[in-house]
Amino acid sequence: MFVYDVSWRELERAIDQNDWQTALQNQKGVYLITDDRTGKRYVGSAYGEDMLLGRWRSYIRTGHSGNKGLKPLDFAYIQSHFRYAILDIHKATTDDAVIIRREHHWMKVLLTKDQRFGYNH
């Protein structure tokens, strides 16, 4: 289930809003990034510092947040063609292993490790 689906520019604006910051910095989760031009997807998880907020701030800052499959892409391309959604959301107290299992589940379901369909490596 998609909890929210926003463009890169919408995400950039949203993470500066207090209500989004409060919600996202206290939630672990699994998220989906979709390239609206090619249809390719990337599944990631957030459970570290500032949880979802920290991960998405990193995407806004770098475009790729250190992910190998996204690094080769031009930042302007990412800003124009990427969309961000939450697949699973969990309380901050959820064990990280649960989040990682859910991340792998979604990678398998969405075929994101297959280079024809996804950016996960």
Side-chain angles (χ1 to χ4, degrees):
M1 174 177 86
F2 294 99
V3 176
Y4 208 40
D5 176 42
V6 295
S7 69
W8 186 93
R9 298 207 187 286
E10 291 168 325
L11 182 62
E12 180 184 37
R13 284 190 302 270
I15 63 170
D16 286 333
Q17 296 175 9
N18 287 338
D19 56 338
W20 270 65
Q21 288 177 0
T22 300
L24 294 176
Q25 72 186 354
N26 294 305
Q27 300 291 320
K28 294 180 180 183
V30 179
Y31 56 86
L32 176 68
I33 301 173
T34 303
D35 182 330
D36 69 9
R37 190 170 208 186
T38 66
K40 283 186 163 187
R41 299 175 179 143
Y42 177 85
V43 172
S45 61
Y47 48 86
E49 188 175 338
D50 287 334
M51 301 183 204
L52 280 167
L53 180 63
R55 289 298 284 156
W56 283 5
R57 277 184 172 156
S58 182
Y59 283 109
I60 294 303
R61 190 173 54 255
T62 67
H64 55 73
S65 191
N67 297 306
K68 290 180 196 176
L70 303 178
K71 276 185 173 182
L73 300 174
D74 181 70
F75 192 49
Y77 179 86
I78 288 169
Q79 291 171 315
S80 297
H81 297 289
F82 275 31
R83 299 196 60 82
Y84 302 81
I86 298 171
L87 297 171
D88 284 339
I89 199 158
H90 299 270
K91 295 185 289 187
T93 57
T94 303
D95 189 287
D96 292 349
V98 171
I99 307 302
I100 294 167
R101 278 195 303 274
R102 293 298 298 159
E103 177 186 25
H104 287 112
H105 162 78
W106 282 110
M107 284 179 190
K108 184 176 179 182
V109 167
L110 297 172
L111 305 173
T112 62
K113 286 194 169 192
D114 184 321
Q115 289 186 338
R116 292 174 297 165
F117 307 115
Y119 289 116
N120 286 99
H121 285 193

